[in-house]
Amino acid sequence: MAYNFLDCDRDQLFLLPPSMRDWLPEGHLVWFILDAVDQLDLSSFYRRYRSDGWGRAAYPPKMMVALLLYAYCTGIRSSRKIEQACQENVAFKVITGNKVPDHTTISRFRQEFQEELSGLFTEVLWLCGRAGLVKVGTVVVDGTKMAGNASLSANRTYQHLEEEVERMMKEAEAADAAEEARVGDDVPKELVDRNKRLERLKRAKEELERMAVEEAARREEEGPGQKRGGKRPAPPDHRPDPGAKVNLTDPESRIMKARQGYVQGYNAQLVVTKDQIIVAAEVTQDQNDVRQLHPMLKRAKEELEGAGIKKRPKVAVADAGYFSEGNIKGADPDGPELLVAPASDWRLARKLAEEGPPRGRIPQGLSARELMERKLLTKRGRALYGLRKVVEAVVGQVKALGDRFMRRGRRAARSEFLLLCACHNLLKLWRAVLAGLARKWKRITEPLPQPA
């Protein structure tokens, strides 16, 4: 008796339907992203290209943007892996029209258009707003440490950099003198490598010096903080501490303390609605969050304005990492009400269990810390502060798309993070459309006019 197997004929002429429209089901993420990209204003991309038809033909920005958005939505960020997917993956073939962009083309596009790609976050937020998904009554602010494209072992102290730069300068002078005695114009390979290393060391040294100047300026702005009867504080020193460290691979990254230990990277900030829509994102070099509260709320206001969303947050919730009496006293009177924990969650829970919720009138003479603590222990305060868990879920979802930066430098990391956040919002919108929750989506799927 013969086996009853399905036929597998690799000589078949049509392994796929002739029309790409039949390659993927109707509700596939690819069709949604292509529809969404049709709505985005990509004029900033098109302005960078010649409109007279001269020059080498390029892939259309609309296709490249859709390719990057779909790749990031599926957790593929390496340009080589994106190229491979364009060769092997049907969904990627639909986006590119069965063409295969080279990985250098993809990498160069991402590098040259990093500011324009950052702007896609606002465009996607505009789409979410038009679909009725952005409800900003209460927003939550939080930060997360993300590893950069650098190692902790690549950190060097300022003293080491000074000694190394001085040593290499002497070696370079000796090599230049020896080269003058040689015949020929070719530069020795060892001298080229030495010059590259010297340039890296100088750049790292300059970064430490810039950090020292910024820290001195910040201390002058905040005031000396001199205690009564204490010594007069010394004038701020603009030279780096000899023990201060900087990373040679990515000088703009910082040593960050995370839950799993120390990482070399950046502090990524988020402002999220209770429906898990990100309304603002930023990448900073600060090791803690306390100085990011008001800048992030201001950033959220700017993003909402840029996305054409008229409503503004009424309440902003943040954990103890953002609390300082200066932050509470310096709050914008026209801005949202602040609910910032003055202590860790377990301390607040213990105090609530021991003393119960506050009752009666607010006592006179309470400090900003005591007033905030009292507000958080009320029934309303506990309910609003409980929304802080929303941002923790969003952080996990964003890091599922990419948990470390692939490019070096703060601007590159910022562009990458904003693109990840835009993809997070796109995925939320896609699932809402599939579930029938974004009822206005049907009315906004008419393509916007694009530059010729």
Side-chain angles (χ1 to χ4, degrees):
M1 182 179 293
Y3 291 109
N4 187 18
F5 290 150
L6 293 172
D7 186 32
C8 181
D9 184 6
R10 293 184 179 84
D11 294 326
Q12 181 179 345
L13 293 179
F14 292 99
L15 294 178
L16 292 172
S19 173
M20 286 189 179
R21 287 285 170 186
D22 298 328
W23 289 10
L24 295 171
E26 184 179 350
H28 198 277
L29 177 60
V30 163
W31 303 125
F32 171 80
I33 286 182
L34 291 174
D35 286 342
V37 170
D38 281 339
Q39 317 307 313
L40 305 182
D41 181 9
L42 303 182
S43 57
S44 58
F45 289 86
Y46 281 87
R47 279 196 294 267
R48 303 275 294 276
Y49 292 88
R50 296 185 61 149
S51 59
D52 55 8
W54 287 82
R56 185 177 178 180
Y59 290 105
K62 184 188 293 187
M63 184 272 280
M64 295 297 292
V65 168
L67 177 63
L68 286 177
L69 286 176
Y70 182 73
Y72 274 59
C73 282
T74 53
I76 303 176
R77 293 182 295 149
S78 165
S79 58
R80 293 182 182 273
K81 289 185 177 180
I82 295 175
E83 178 189 358
Q84 182 182 2
C86 291
Q87 294 172 338
E88 303 172 354
N89 191 306
V90 172
F92 282 84
K93 285 178 176 292
V94 169
I95 291 176
T96 62
N98 214 16
K99 292 182 172 61
V100 182
D102 186 77
H103 66 273
T104 54
T105 302
I106 297 169
S107 179
R108 192 179 298 118
F109 182 87
R110 188 164 47 188
Q111 181 178 358
E112 292 180 357
F113 292 94
Q114 68 177 13
E115 294 302 323
E116 288 81 359
L117 289 171
S118 300
L120 291 179
F121 175 81
T122 308
E123 291 291 314
V124 172
L125 185 62
W126 169 75
L127 270 183
C128 293
R130 292 189 68 188
L133 297 186
V134 184
K135 302 172 183 176
V136 294
T138 301
V139 296
V140 188
V141 187
D142 201 6
T144 183
K145 308 302 190 297
M146 287 187 66
N149 189 0
S151 170
L152 282 168
S153 61
N155 284 288
R156 299 293 185 271
T157 63
Y158 183 74
Q159 183 177 357
H160 173 87
L161 290 175
E162 277 195 316
E163 294 172 354
E164 189 73 5
V165 168
E166 185 177 356
R167 181 185 67 80
M168 293 194 71
M169 288 291 288
K170 291 179 180 179
E171 288 182 358
E173 290 176 2
D176 288 340
E179 181 61 20
E180 289 179 359
R182 293 187 185 183
V183 178
D185 297 328
D186 293 336
V187 181
K189 182 180 178 182
E190 60 271 15
L191 185 59
V192 174
D193 294 340
R194 188 183 297 119
N195 288 338
K196 288 183 178 179
R197 176 167 172 77
L198 180 61
E199 184 180 348
R200 266 201 315 167
L201 291 171
K202 286 182 176 180
R203 192 169 69 248
K205 183 170 174 282
E206 290 169 359
E207 179 67 17
L208 271 177
E209 292 169 350
R210 185 188 65 80
M211 289 166 56
V213 171
E214 288 183 355
E215 181 64 19
R218 185 179 67 82
R219 289 179 179 177
E220 288 179 355
E221 183 180 347
E222 292 177 352
Q226 178 185 354
K227 294 182 179 179
R228 187 174 298 176
K231 295 182 179 179
R232 182 180 296 275
D237 189 1
H238 293 272
R239 279 186 58 81
D241 187 285
K245 292 184 177 181
V246 69
N247 194 275
L248 292 181
T249 308
D250 184 0
E252 295 185 14
S253 65
R254 300 289 183 265
I255 300 175
M256 300 283 177
K257 186 176 181 181
R259 291 182 179 179
Q260 67 272 24
Y262 288 93
V263 297
Q264 186 73 38
Y266 296 90
N267 186 356
Q269 297 285 314
L270 294 167
V271 182
V272 180
T273 70
K274 63 180 181 180
D275 295 320
Q276 299 188 4
I277 298 295
I278 302 172
V279 295
E282 191 56 83
V283 170
T284 73
Q285 297 169 307
D286 287 356
Q287 282 88 346
N288 55 58
D289 299 329
V290 68
R291 294 167 55 190
Q292 302 304 321
L293 179 62
H294 294 306
M296 287 309 299
L297 292 177
K298 181 181 178 183
R299 184 71 185 165
K301 180 181 177 182
E302 293 171 351
E303 290 288 359
L304 291 171
E305 288 178 355
I309 300 171
K310 296 181 180 180
K311 293 185 178 179
R312 297 292 176 266
K314 296 181 180 178
V315 179
V317 180
D319 62 19
Y322 292 87
F323 183 85
S324 74
E325 297 209 358
N327 276 346
I328 304 304
K329 294 177 180 177
D332 183 1
D334 298 326
E337 175 190 2
L338 297 181
L339 277 174
V340 187
S344 59
D345 294 356
W346 69 269
R347 290 182 185 276
L348 290 173
R350 186 177 66 180
K351 185 166 184 177
L352 180 65
E354 292 175 353
E355 302 178 7
R359 293 181 176 85
R361 294 184 177 181
I362 301 175
Q364 298 292 327
L366 294 182
S367 65
R369 177 180 292 272
E370 292 169 333
L371 285 171
M372 183 60 67
E373 188 176 87
R374 179 183 175 87
K375 182 190 293 187
L376 285 172
L377 293 178
T378 62
K379 183 178 179 179
R380 173 180 176 270
R382 295 198 308 273
L384 289 173
Y385 189 71
L387 295 175
R388 194 180 60 83
K389 297 178 181 178
V390 170
V391 75
E392 295 175 358
V394 172
V395 167
Q397 293 163 13
V398 172
K399 284 192 169 183
L401 302 178
D403 61 351
R404 67 182 301 130
F405 297 114
M406 299 186 66
R407 300 176 60 212
R408 296 168 184 168
R410 195 187 75 85
R411 288 181 62 193
R414 179 180 183 272
S415 175
E416 191 172 353
F417 187 64
L418 284 170
L419 193 55
L420 284 172
C421 292
C423 290
H424 170 273
N425 286 347
L426 263 182
L427 289 171
K428 291 291 180 184
L429 179 56
W430 174 57
R431 295 185 182 108
V433 170
L434 291 181
L437 300 178
R439 297 184 179 90
K440 298 179 182 179
W441 178 253
K442 294 289 184 181
R443 289 182 285 169
I444 62 175
T445 51
E446 290 298 324
L448 293 178
Q450 298 292 344

